């Protein structure tokens, strides 16, 4: 199933190597070593093994002059690395055996690894899945990101409220990192344009008197599954150009002398914990430029080292920008080519556009990045000049084709002149890219119809779709060993390379013994999660209940409130008829709220307050439990996903670009209850409508209601369960010590206009949940549908997504042997 290193390497040598790493990296001898030390030793061994391949892959790539994909992303949510890396190297079993000999279980050791939370959610996780897949397929690639000292905050729940604590993932040192001080580049800010550079912006600019900070690379290897390719996650860390200001120090200003250094180095101190809303702060602006400038300098330096001219950039490098966060790459590449390498403007523009492409992740207005013009004026004056120049010639072309259409010019301009002037990063990214992709079919359609309608008309054919995917080795094979073994026992291991082979499971749908095995794998996963829940919260949950999970960032558009209102309705139903026949359910929530998003934080509080009342109501017993599992992260997701029966994907149609949590759970044999939104639609097409619980308004219906046709209260009047649930929330039933606490939630759903149509979808949602319960009562039927789901999820592998990117955008090929 996984390759096995011990077939090619002497076991004793591996053992000696492990002990050597123990001594070298922890100073311990085997007798005295504890679990943490063995973790250090095992990572040390993995590093050694991976570096050999890494070097070989690098040589091979250079020999072949292969084109590289460079994925620019402000976030890489990689999760723990030990298990995947050992497996990909074929060293997992032999390490497990060695650790057993010294009295440790490799799974327990792997659990001790910190999960570096260098991302917020789906966007960062996508970056990690794509990098994993490039290595598995053998496509040379770099992930370029930032080495935040503090990643995503750790979430604790205190009296029902989210509290945020800093998470220093480097507290034991970056065990996977290779510090590359040889790869250090100056990144400049502020300063001014010399007079001579001010006129014809096409001449090389003279950007002078800048403040300079250094970017140093830290590399993390990304080993591919049963592949010789090892790709690189290259993260930039900020360092001041001088350690301290000696003049100030000598003058007695000891603190002042290091202040500047501290300020510049804070550039990569912390990840912005915002998901789907533009953060709008100067430090974030500087971070984005830091990523873009260091990465592009690195690419150009590498090319030159290999003796290539810059003309060869488009044939050697593809830059993919993950959302608009790295969109400054368009202006920065122009600056590097024109100002620092002497290319003509037109030549540089041709290269830039052929190198860069852009993935859009959201259409929601509040998430479309716009930076105040004054940030550019003060911090990146040369880039503003370049942006103006690109904009001018673009608008001239538009004006020539549509004479007199001033309104069109206003809409497509890079500069938003409404109120304070801003730069629209999406317009810059669009015009500066040869391909722009959406991340699900419907999302791509909506891009063409809404936000990018004008640009699509002006530059037709640039927008394409590449539906997201997930790394099946992590999310299915790694997270769900019972199911992995069952699958392989029937269809072999080919599905680990080519997930579409899961289709071969279809004949087993009608095999009762297989169904029983499939069910017991799920039951074992549920039991494991139940044990974890009991250990963490003291609550015991029934493993025969439906494990009903909504795990994702807390956001109004994702509609945790819809799930919660349903849970309150179920609660009332049991209370009104305690002797009735009720399907038992365990409702599992997990997710973080952005620290400044008050409504999302209040939703977390409400979930916890409802949970407290329901879980301690003796009338309810096992029939309904509501859980909020704190600190959602890749590691926690790996625990929950295999245990889920029912996957909740209930965003308002038109708001979730794709979703990837939906894919992880369906792959693991969960049935989905979902709106016709994002990749849900394609999942439903793949697994068959009869094996998917679809409900709710369509995007067209939502669009209609949004044109002033929505009256939330009319839905409220028609549904007694809904009225009762909202009344209880609003009148303090769940918050007796502060009866008005949840009024803001009730108000937003009623008089506030219910922006995400929770009330409109409620009745339909409750209805389909009743169908779900009926289906669950027939376990054979449920299992049939679950198997059909798993069997048809092949196209949602990130391997497939990477193949699409490589063919449709990057024009890259796997390395030859
Ligand atoms: C998969 C994943 C996400 C994305 O979930 P969605 O349901 O698609 O929003 C977010 N966070 C983590 C930790 C994940 O693993």
């Amino acid at each position: 199933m996984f390759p096995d290193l011990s077939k090619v390497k002497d076991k004793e040598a591996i053992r000696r190597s492990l002990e050597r790493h123990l001594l070298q990296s922890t100073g311990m001898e085997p007798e005295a070593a504890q679990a943490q030390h063995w973790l250090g030793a095992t990572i040390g061994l993995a590093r050694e093994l991976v570096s050999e391949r890494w070097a070989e892959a690098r040589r091979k790539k250079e020999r072949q002059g292969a084109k590289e994909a460079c994925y620019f992303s402000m976030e890489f949510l990689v999760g723990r690395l030990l298990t995947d890396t050992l497996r990909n190297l074929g060293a997992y079993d032999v390490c497990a055996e060695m650790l057993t000999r010294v009295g440790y279980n490799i799974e327990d050791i792997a659990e001790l690894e910190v999960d570096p939370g260098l991302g917020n959610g789906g966007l960062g996780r996508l970056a990690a899945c794509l990098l994993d897949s490039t290595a598995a397929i053998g496509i040379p690639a770099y992930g370029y990101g930032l080495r935040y000292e503090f990643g995503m905050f750790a979430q604790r729940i205190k009296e029902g409220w989210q509290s945020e604590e800093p998470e220093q993932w480097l507290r034991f040192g970056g065990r996977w990192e290779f510090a590359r001080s040889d790869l250090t580049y100056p990144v400049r800010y502020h300063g001014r344009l010399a007079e001579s550079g001010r006129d014809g912006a096409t001449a090389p600019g003279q950007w002078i008197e800048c403040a300079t900070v250094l970017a140093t690379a830290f590399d993390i290897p990304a080993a591919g599954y049963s592949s010789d390719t090892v790709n690189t996650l290259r993260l930039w860390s900020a360092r001041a150009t001088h350690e301290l200001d000696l003049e100030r120090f000598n003058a007695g200003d000891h603190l002042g002398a290091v202040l500047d250094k501290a300020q510049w180095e804070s550039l990569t101190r912390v990840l912005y914990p915002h998901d789907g809303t533009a953060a709008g702060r100067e430090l974030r602006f500087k971070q984005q430029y830091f990523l873009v400038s260091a990465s592009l300098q690195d690419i150009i330096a590498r090319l030159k080292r290999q003796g290539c001219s810059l003309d060869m950039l488009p044939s050697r490098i593809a830059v993919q920008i993950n959302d608009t966060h790295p969109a400054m790459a368009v202006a920065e590449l122009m600056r590097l080519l024109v100002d620092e390498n002497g290319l003509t403007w037109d030549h540089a523009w041709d290269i830039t556009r052929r190198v860069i492409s852009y993935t859009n992740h959201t259409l929601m207005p509040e998430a479309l990045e716009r930076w105040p013009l004054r940030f550019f004026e003060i911090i990146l004056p040369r880039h503003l000049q370049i942006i103006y120049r690109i904009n001018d010639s673009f608008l001239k072309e538009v004006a020539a084709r549509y004479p007199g259409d001033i309104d069109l010019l206003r809409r497509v301009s890079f500069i938003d002149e409404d109120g304070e002037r801003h730069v629209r990063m999406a317009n810059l990214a669009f015009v500066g890219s040869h391909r722009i992709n959406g991340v699900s079919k419907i999302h791509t359609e909506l891009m063409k119809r809404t936000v990018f309608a004008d640009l699509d008309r002006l530059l037709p054919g640039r927008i394409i779709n590449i539906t997201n995917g997930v790394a099946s080795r992590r999310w299915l094979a790694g997270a769900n060993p019972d199911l992995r073994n069952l699958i392989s026992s029937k269809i072999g291991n080919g599905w680990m390379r080519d997930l579409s082979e899961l289709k071969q499971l279809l004949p087993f749908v009608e095999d009762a013994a297989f169904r029983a095995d499939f069910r017991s794998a799920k039951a074992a996963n549920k039991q494991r999660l139940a044990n974890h829940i009991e250990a963490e919260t003291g609550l015991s949950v029934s493993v025969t209940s439906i494990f009903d999970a909504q795990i994702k960032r807390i956001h109004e558009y994702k509609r945790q409130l819809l799930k919660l209102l349903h849970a309150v309705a179920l609660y009332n139903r049991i209370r009104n008829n305690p002797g009735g026949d009720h399907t038992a359910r365990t409702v599992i929530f997990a997710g973080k709220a952005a620290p400044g998003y008050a409504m999302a934080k209040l939703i977390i509080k409400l979930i916890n307050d409802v949970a407290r009342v329901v879980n301690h109501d003796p009338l309810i017993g096992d029939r309904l439990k509501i859980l909020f599992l704190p600190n959602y992260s890749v590691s926690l997701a790996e625990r929950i996903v295999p245990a889920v029966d029912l996957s909740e994907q209930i965003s308002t149609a038109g708001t979730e670009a794709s979703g990837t949590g939906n894919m992880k759970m369906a792959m693991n044999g969960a049935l989905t209850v979902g709106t016709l939104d994002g990749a849900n639609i394609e999942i439903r097409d793949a697994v068959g409508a009869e094996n998917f619980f679809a409900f709710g308004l369509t995007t067209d219906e939502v669009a209609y209601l949004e044109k002033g046709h929505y009256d939330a209260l009319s839905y409220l009047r028609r549904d007694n369960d809904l009225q009762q649930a909202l009344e209880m929330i609003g009148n303090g039933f769940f918050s007796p010590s502060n009866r008005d606490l949840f009024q803001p939630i009730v108000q937003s759903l009623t008089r506030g206009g219910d922006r995400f149509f929770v009330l409109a979808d409620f009745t339909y949602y409750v209805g389909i949940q009743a169908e779900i319960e009926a289906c669950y009562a027939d376990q054979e039927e449920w299992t049939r549908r679950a198997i059909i789901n798993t069997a048809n999820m092949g196209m949602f592998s990130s391997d497939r997504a990477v193949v699409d990117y490589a063919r449709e955008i990057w024009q890259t090929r796997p390395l030859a042997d």
Side-chain angles (χ1 to χ4, degrees):
M1 178 163 319
F2 297 102
D4 183 2
L5 189 71
S6 64
K7 295 216 173 88
V8 288
K9 266 200 163 96
D10 173 25
K11 263 194 201 173
E12 270 313 297
I14 295 173
R15 187 186 56 78
R16 280 196 303 277
S17 177
L18 192 62
E19 288 186 4
R20 181 164 43 81
H21 282 289
L22 182 70
L23 193 63
Q24 274 177 4
S25 62
T26 73
M28 286 282 164
E29 299 196 314
E31 300 70 39
Q34 293 167 1
Q36 267 294 344
H37 304 124
W38 283 112
L39 172 65
T42 315
I43 294 178
L45 174 65
R47 276 174 72 107
E48 178 189 321
L49 296 171
V50 85
S51 358
E52 295 165 10
R53 283 203 200 181
W54 209 0
E56 176 54 34
R58 211 173 299 135
R59 276 194 299 274
K60 198 154 101 178
K61 184 171 71 183
E62 289 186 13
R63 259 198 323 270
Q64 300 183 14
K67 186 171 181 183
E68 293 167 346
C70 296
Y71 198 83
F72 285 20
S73 178
M74 289 291 281
E75 308 187 4
F76 282 88
L77 201 51
V78 292
R80 291 179 178 135
L81 296 173
L82 182 60
T83 304
D84 264 20
T85 306
L86 286 178
R87 285 218 168 104
N88 290 344
L89 295 167
Y92 186 84
D93 291 339
V94 65
C95 281
E97 186 184 329
M98 298 306 155
L99 290 169
T100 311
R101 286 200 208 164
V102 292
Y104 288 97
N105 176 339
I106 193 166
E107 288 173 23
D108 299 338
I109 298 286
E111 284 274 307
L112 298 175
E113 191 187 346
V114 290
D115 178 343
L118 304 184
N120 275 281
L123 171 140
R125 186 52 230 172
L126 177 73
C129 284
L130 293 178
L131 190 62
D132 175 273
S133 287
T134 56
I137 294 169
I139 290 175
Y142 283 81
Y144 277 108
L146 293 183
R147 181 181 181 264
Y148 305 105
E149 240 170 88
F150 295 91
M152 195 58 201
F153 63 82
Q155 179 195 56
R156 306 259 178 291
I157 301 297
K158 291 185 178 155
E159 293 177 4
W161 294 100
Q162 164 175 297
S163 85
E164 299 109 28
E165 291 176 15
E167 176 84 324
Q168 203 173 12
W169 68 287
L170 292 167
R171 61 187 179 276
F172 299 118
R175 282 168 152 158
W176 289 103
E177 293 177 341
F178 291 72
R180 298 290 308 267
S181 47
D182 56 314
L183 300 177
T184 295
Y185 303 94
V187 177
R188 299 187 298 157
Y189 297 94
H190 300 294
R192 62 184 183 87
L193 296 176
E195 286 303 322
S196 65
R198 286 199 173 193
D199 43 356
T202 57
Q206 294 190 41
W207 183 20
I208 55 173
E209 294 165 17
C210 303
T212 302
V213 56
L214 298 177
T216 295
F218 286 79
D219 284 358
I220 294 176
Y225 168 72
S226 115
S227 133
D228 294 333
T229 303
V230 179
N231 282 329
T232 303
L233 176 56
R234 180 158 291 168
L235 304 176
W236 299 109
S237 181
R239 199 152 54 79
T241 43
H242 41 252
E243 288 304 298
L244 89 180
D245 185 336
L246 209 59
E247 224 167 278
R248 281 169 87 175
F249 190 84
N250 289 339
D253 181 8
H254 296 159
L255 195 62
V258 292
L259 206 62
D260 213 32
K261 169 177 160 67
Q263 262 172 21
W264 280 116
E265 296 189 347
S266 71
L267 252 180
T268 48
R269 196 83 71 208
V270 61
L271 164 77
Y272 274 79
H274 301 275
D275 193 54
T277 46
R281 300 263 303 121
E282 186 178 319
L283 182 61
R284 169 82 173 182
F285 181 83
K286 287 182 172 163
Q287 285 184 336
Q288 294 184 347
Y289 180 62
F290 191 73
L291 165 67
V292 154
S293 180
S295 307
L296 288 171
Q297 290 184 64
D298 187 49
I299 287 169
I300 289 176
R302 188 161 65 244
L303 215 65
K304 288 184 173 172
R305 255 198 324 275
Q306 293 169 19
C308 299
S309 81
L310 292 177
D311 271 334
M312 292 171 75
L313 256 172
S315 61
R316 295 298 284 267
I317 297 289
V319 169
Q320 187 74 38
I321 62 175
N322 198 17
D323 214 324
T324 54
H325 314 150
M328 292 170 196
V330 175
E332 175 67 355
L333 186 52
M334 287 300 289
R335 187 189 69 82
L336 288 169
L337 294 177
V338 173
D339 295 2
E340 305 211 343
N341 288 279
L343 270 62
T344 67
W345 178 274
D346 291 342
H347 191 185
W349 179 239
D350 177 60
I351 290 176
T352 297
R353 263 201 30 246
R354 285 159 62 200
V355 167
I356 294 177
S357 46
Y358 150 52
T359 304
N360 173 277
H361 283 275
T362 178
L363 305 172
M364 300 229 286
E366 63 266 46
L368 288 174
E369 273 194 314
R370 302 176 330 146
W371 286 113
L373 211 67
R374 68 192 150 83
F375 279 18
F376 276 101
E377 277 166 353
I378 296 167
I379 301 167
L380 298 175
R382 173 59 178 149
H383 296 78
L384 182 58
Q385 192 180 38
I386 290 171
I387 288 169
Y388 276 147
R389 170 75 177 82
I390 303 172
N391 194 37
D392 278 351
S393 51
F394 173 60
L395 293 183
K396 280 204 187 88
E397 279 174 41
V398 177
R401 281 176 54 194
Y402 296 91
D405 194 343
I406 304 298
D407 205 48
L408 176 66
L409 294 182
R410 192 186 52 72
R411 291 197 305 270
V412 298
S413 170
F414 298 180
I415 312 298
D416 185 346
E417 313 265 356
D418 244 14
E420 191 193 348
R421 297 168 81 208
H422 285 79
V423 177
R424 296 169 170 146
M425 302 310 281
N427 296 33
L428 172 65
F430 195 112
V431 175
S433 296
H434 61 290
R435 284 281 177 279
I436 298 94
N437 76 288
V439 288
S440 73
K441 281 184 189 160
I442 190 168
H443 167 63
T444 302
E445 277 316 303
L446 291 172
M447 278 168 71
K448 292 182 190 168
R449 286 221 300 263
T450 63
V451 180
F452 296 112
D454 294 317
L455 287 168
D456 183 46
R457 184 158 55 104
L458 295 166
L459 303 166
R462 283 201 195 179
I463 299 181
I464 63 168
N465 175 244
I466 298 184
T467 300
N468 283 167
V470 299
S472 63
R473 266 95 41 189
R474 178 178 289 266
W475 293 106
L476 176 52
N480 198 342
D482 287 359
L483 186 55
R484 172 189 80 215
N485 293 334
L486 176 62
I487 293 171
S488 289
S489 74
K490 294 295 178 197
I491 66 171
N493 297 324
W495 62 277
M496 305 255 305
R497 285 211 132 277
D498 175 3
L499 200 67
S500 67
E501 289 192 10
L502 287 177
K503 277 239 183 326
Q504 296 167 18
L505 289 174
L506 285 172
F508 296 98
V509 170
E510 291 310 327
D511 177 339
F514 182 77
R515 285 202 302 274
D517 290 342
F518 196 93
R519 226 171 7 251
S520 17
K522 181 63 79 180
N525 292 328
K526 288 170 76 173
Q527 187 62 57
R528 270 190 284 275
L529 181 59
N531 296 346
H532 174 76
I533 289 169
E534 180 142 24
E536 294 289 304
T537 67
L539 269 178
S540 89
V541 302
S542 156
V543 292
T544 57
S545 65
I546 304 180
F547 276 27
D548 175 357
Q550 190 174 21
I551 51 175
K552 48 182 76 241
R553 285 299 286 248
I554 310 295
H555 225 295
E556 285 161 286
Y557 84 81
K558 291 181 183 274
R559 298 200 298 190
Q560 277 88 2
L561 283 175
L562 181 57
K563 177 74 262 174
L564 192 66
L565 283 168
H566 174 236
V568 172
L570 289 177
Y571 175 57
N572 291 331
R573 200 169 74 190
I574 302 174
R575 287 204 315 157
N576 292 338
N577 180 12
D581 186 16
H582 302 284
T583 306
R585 249 188 224 257
T586 301
V587 180
I588 298 164
F589 291 98
K592 291 173 183 172
Y597 188 174
M599 182 58 85
K601 292 175 107 170
L602 191 59
I603 291 170
I604 291 179
K605 170 68 171 160
L606 177 60
I607 294 171
N608 282 301
D609 280 3
V610 172
R612 189 176 29 78
V613 170
V614 170
N615 296 345
H616 295 106
D617 187 333
L619 218 51
I620 303 299
D622 269 356
R623 293 179 291 185
L624 182 62
K625 286 279 178 282
I626 301 172
L627 299 156
F628 186 93
L629 300 183
N631 206 31
Y632 189 53
S633 58
V634 172
S635 305
L636 183 57
E638 286 167 328
R639 227 184 242 291
I640 300 173
V641 162
V644 173
D645 294 309
L646 183 63
S647 162
E648 298 275 351
Q649 307 300 338
I650 59 179
S651 52
T652 312
T655 63
E656 189 76 88
S658 163
T660 49
N662 46 4
M663 301 170 188
K664 297 167 195 167
M665 286 183 267
M667 215 172 258
N668 280 278
L671 302 194
T672 305
V673 54
T675 44
L676 296 177
D677 197 20
N680 290 354
I681 297 176
E682 287 153 78
I683 293 175
R684 174 168 166 264
D685 289 344
V687 305
E690 65 284 9
N691 304 303
F692 185 106
F693 299 103
F695 78 99
L697 298 167
T698 62
T699 47
D700 287 344
E701 289 163 351
V702 166
Y704 174 77
L705 290 180
E706 273 173 342
K707 293 197 192 99
H709 300 292
Y710 183 48
D711 174 13
L713 296 180
S714 70
Y715 292 87
L716 189 57
R717 281 191 289 273
R718 273 180 259 153
D719 192 308
N720 288 328
D721 291 345
L722 182 56
Q723 277 169 36
Q724 195 187 1
L726 269 183
E727 250 167 53
M728 289 163 77
I729 291 167
N731 72 18
F733 183 91
F734 299 108
S735 53
S737 59
N738 182 355
R739 296 199 161 270
D740 292 332
L741 182 60
F742 299 118
Q743 273 301 324
I745 288 179
V746 175
Q747 292 305 321
S748 86
L749 294 179
T750 54
R751 263 180 284 287
D754 186 16
R755 180 177 164 203
F756 295 105
F757 306 98
V758 173
L759 303 195
D761 273 345
F762 178 83
T763 310
Y764 196 169
Y765 181 61
V766 171
I768 197 124
Q769 289 284 355
E771 260 179 60
I772 289 166
E773 290 173 359
C775 180
Y776 192 77
D778 181 352
Q779 280 287 296
E780 292 294 353
E781 177 58 18
W782 185 276
T783 311
R784 273 190 202 96
R785 296 188 193 188
I787 298 168
I788 294 171
N789 266 263
T790 298
N792 287 297
M793 287 299 290
M795 67 160 287
F796 300 98
S797 162
S798 47
D799 296 352
R800 188 272 312 148
V802 161
V803 169
D804 287 355
Y805 277 101
R807 196 185 46 227
E808 309 284 333
I809 303 182
W810 304 337
Q811 315 288 315
T812 52
R813 269 187 300 276
L815 289 177
D817 280 330

